[in-house]
Structure formats: structure tokens, C-alpha cells
Amino acid sequence: AYEKAATNLDGLVKFGALNADVHKKTASALGVQGFPSVKAFVPGSGSKNPYTGKFFKPGVEFTGGTRSAKGLVDFAGKQLPSLVVPVTDASMGSFKKNGTTMPKALLFTQKTETTTLLKSLSVSLKGRMLIGEAKETSAAKAAATLSVSEYPKLLVFPGDESADPIPYDGELKAAALTGFLESHALKEPVAAEKKEDAKKGDTAAKDDAYAVEVRQPIRVARGMGSVSSSPSRPLLPCPC
């Protein structure tokens, strides 16, 4: 179940495994009291210990439900924060102007809930590209204006407002979509994001690293080896 869940969310959520018998201090620090245990480390959480100076990100415990592949996928997806901007006919103009020169990506969709894929992209591209979601029921006029005739449809609006939107015609899969958006995103976060992080100090810097790289439920179990994960996103040390 764990390996299947990791495969299903490859590129979106990082899965890892920890042998609690070998790494007893880490397991204790994470509050592991039974085996197996599943915890999710959520982007945007955690703080710096004022006494030790070390950064700590607490885990969210998997409780209730079965530890099936579907149960783990649902659990991990619900833990991901979302920076996706809801876009309607009324807010379409302000979305395009938001962030001035920052590129925007807008997904026209018939789904009622934001997907794990879109939430993950909104976090990883924070400060470099704004991710929006326009649902068919609330953005029909915007879709017609942009000649969107089928769903789902993704458009990228370059930083230059005078440029035409760029349609994405590939598969809505993590690897392909990430590559496409990265090619149009800013290389570095905008100044406002950098300034905000500077105010937060070291805590923000470390938290950003975990937000991008360690969006991962970690299974803590006896005799468990590492669960496979995307080679492009190496597993970071346990946040303890």
C-alpha cells in the first residue's frame, strides 16, 4: 500500500520510511509510540526552538481509516496546503493583473475540488508563478472569451500583459506539467516574497526547503526500508 501510494503521488508528495528500531532518537522526537505509524510533514508549519536554535516541524498523525493505498493518497492530499487562487468571471481581470509581471497559470476545470496536483504546483511555484483555477460553473464567460471549448484546459499568461496566453496541450501529469510551468515561471521568487522570508529569518528559509522538498508522509515502522521516490526530488533529513 505504501509503495503504491508513493507511486501514485510521485512528483507531488514525497514518501519516506524510517526504521524506528535503528533511529530511536528520531522516532522519539516525532512522538512515535506504536508501529507502524504514519505522519505527514506539512509545508508552512514548524518553528525554531528558542533554546536550541534548531528548526522543528511536527508531524500530522494518520488516524482513522485504513492504511490502503487510497487511504494514504487521500490523507496526504488533504495535508497539502493550497495557494491556488479561485478565479471567476468577476475576478478574471484582477487575477491577470495580480503580481504585475509575475506569470500566471490558469486551469479551467469541471471538477468541484482542487486536485492534489494543482495544490502541489501552487506551493512549489510560490513567488515565481501564480496558479489559478476557474471552474466551469463560475467562469463560463471567461472561458468563452479565451476560446476555451473543452475541459480541462490550462493557459499560461506571461508576465507581459500584452502577450497572448500560451495553451498547454500535454497530459495533466506531474512531470510533464511541472516541466511546462517551470519553463514559463520566474527563475527566482519576486522581491516581495524574498522580503517576507527575510523578515521571518532562518525559520522561513528552512521551512521553505521542507515545503518544496519534504511534502511527505513518512512511514515509521520496524524493519522498514526506504520507499521509492522521484530522483529529481531527493529526500531531505527528518525535520527534527
Side-chain angles (χ1 to χ4, degrees), residues 174-186:
L177 192 52
T178 297
F180 174 76
L181 294 181
E182 283 286 359
S183 69
H184 294 288
L186 298 176

Side-chain angles (χ1 to χ4, degrees), residues 13-193:
V13 176
K14 287 298 297 284
F15 279 73
L18 181 74
N19 187 323
D21 282 337
V22 176
H23 305 285
K24 294 181 180 180
K25 289 184 178 180
T26 299
S28 176
L30 292 173
V32 175
Q33 298 179 338
F35 308 104
S37 293
V38 178
K39 292 179 180 286
F41 298 96
V42 183
S45 65
S47 60
K48 189 175 182 180
N49 187 312
Y51 301 103
T52 65
K54 293 183 178 180
F55 183 80
F56 179 75
K57 183 187 289 290
V60 178
E61 186 81 26
F62 180 96
T63 56
T66 59
R67 290 192 177 93
S68 62
K70 184 180 183 305
L72 290 167
V73 167
D74 290 343
F75 167 70
K78 289 178 180 178
Q79 304 312 314
L80 272 177
S82 176
L83 300 178
V84 177
V85 179
V87 178
T88 64
D89 287 329
S91 64
M92 182 65 189
S94 59
F95 172 76
K96 292 174 66 176
K97 293 179 181 179
N98 194 335
T100 59
T101 60
M102 185 188 297
K104 292 94 179 169
L106 180 60
L107 177 67
F108 286 87
T109 179
Q110 294 176 316
K111 291 184 179 293
T112 57
E113 295 186 5
T114 303
T115 64
T116 300
L117 172 58
L118 205 61
K119 290 194 293 184
S120 176
L121 289 169
S122 74
V123 173
S124 63
L125 292 169
K126 176 185 176 184
R128 300 190 294 124
M129 174 178 278
L130 193 64
I131 305 294
E133 182 179 45
K135 298 179 180 178
E136 183 183 23
T137 54
S138 56
K141 291 181 179 179
T145 300
L146 294 166
S147 301
V148 174
S149 58
E150 59 182 8
Y151 295 84
K153 189 64 177 181
L154 181 75
L155 299 176
V156 166
F157 298 88
D160 181 0
E161 289 188 27
S162 63
D164 293 331
I166 304 168
Y168 173 69
D169 297 319
E171 289 186 310
L172 289 178
K173 300 293 185 181
L177 192 52
T178 297
F180 174 76
L181 294 181
E182 283 286 359
S183 69
H184 294 288
L186 298 176
K187 300 305 179 184
E188 297 290 338
V190 295
E193 295 290 343

